[in-house]
Amino acid sequence: MSLERERMPVGGFIFDLDGVLTDTAEFHYRAWQRLADEEGLPFDRAANEHLRGVSRRASLELILKGRVYPNEKIEAMLARKNSYYLEAIRAITPADVLPGARELLAEIRAAGLKTALGSASRNAGEVLDRLGLRPLLDAVADGNSVERPKPAPDLFLFAARLLDLPPAACVVVEDAAAGIEAAQAGGLRTIGIGPPERVGRAEAVLPSLEGVHLAALLNALEHRA
Ligand code: B16
Ligand code: MG
């Protein structure tokens, strides 16, 4: 007797941006480091790891570690960090798509399944355009789409609605613990990209999308489900 639960067939994939389709983490890191240095706040690469997939405001709160500033100062710091980030992403080109990602998006669509972006970034649209990935996506959900950031499920539920699919028919591909948590809270399927220490809660884990085909994603889900 099989104990396996009946699963809804996969209808689409929702991809995170930073850490999955491209590596904007380095640009975020440099922008935060510059702000932290100017403000005399302790910050380094290890601290930056905790900001993966975390919204801009929540990231600043983590950096401030309970230090209290007037609201205007907080808003000014957020704007300054973003201006440093925007300056940096002007250098992004289609060559900055992570290995395997473009091919995988194209393969998923050729197979008749849907693709969406599910990124916490409010700058995701600009990054997508610079990468030349927009034509490979059926829908874009980003930091401007919903109020509550990851780990709330809202962003991925919004993306599933845009794809006109039930959450259980969508697979979220994520590199951040907050993103896996968000997807699971919304009842979406999950594939983690990166080390198991970070994304081990996902149904399946892959080191990257390099050389990964649709069949491998579906197989990985089946064997961990
Ligand atoms: P922005 P993702 C996230 O992107 C980044 O990982 C995170 O470091 C950043 O703070 C967040 O976007 C917000 O970005 O400041 O551009 O709105 O991984 O969800 O694609
Ligand atoms: Mg990410």
Side-chain angles (χ1 to χ4, degrees), residues 16-20 22 52-54 118-120 150 173-176:
D16 174 54
L17 181 63
D18 176 27
V20 173
T22 190
R52 210 175 258 271
V54 175
S119 166
K150 304 169 189 176
V173 185
E174 253 289 351
D175 73 312

Side-chain angles (χ1 to χ4, degrees), residues 93-151:
T93 73
D96 293 307
V97 176
L98 282 170
R102 190 187 302 278
E103 296 77 3
L104 182 60
L105 285 170
E107 191 191 353
I108 290 171
R109 287 181 109 213
L113 302 180
K114 293 177 183 170
T115 57
L117 185 83
S119 166
S121 175
R122 288 172 182 264
N123 299 303
E126 177 161 356
V127 174
L128 275 187
D129 287 334
R130 292 189 182 279
L131 295 171
L133 286 183
R134 219 184 261 269
L136 292 173
L137 293 160
D138 295 299
V140 173
D142 65 17
N144 305 295
S145 306
V146 293
E147 289 279 315
R148 295 191 307 163
K150 304 169 189 176

Side-chain angles (χ1 to χ4, degrees), residues 61-81:
E61 279 164 17
L62 288 175
I63 293 171
L64 293 180
K65 285 195 179 129
R67 289 176 181 82
V68 179
Y69 288 94
N71 226 12
E72 311 81 73
K73 173 80 179 168
I74 297 279
E75 295 302 326
M77 285 196 278
L78 290 171
R80 191 137 48 93
K81 183 271 174 177

Side-chain angles (χ1 to χ4, degrees), residues 171-193:
V171 182
V172 169
V173 185
E174 253 289 351
D175 73 312
I180 300 292
E181 202 182 321
Q184 289 176 338
L188 293 87
R189 318 265 332 250
T190 49
I191 294 183
I193 302 296

Side-chain angles (χ1 to χ4, degrees), residues 51 86 110 124:
L51 309 185
L86 287 174

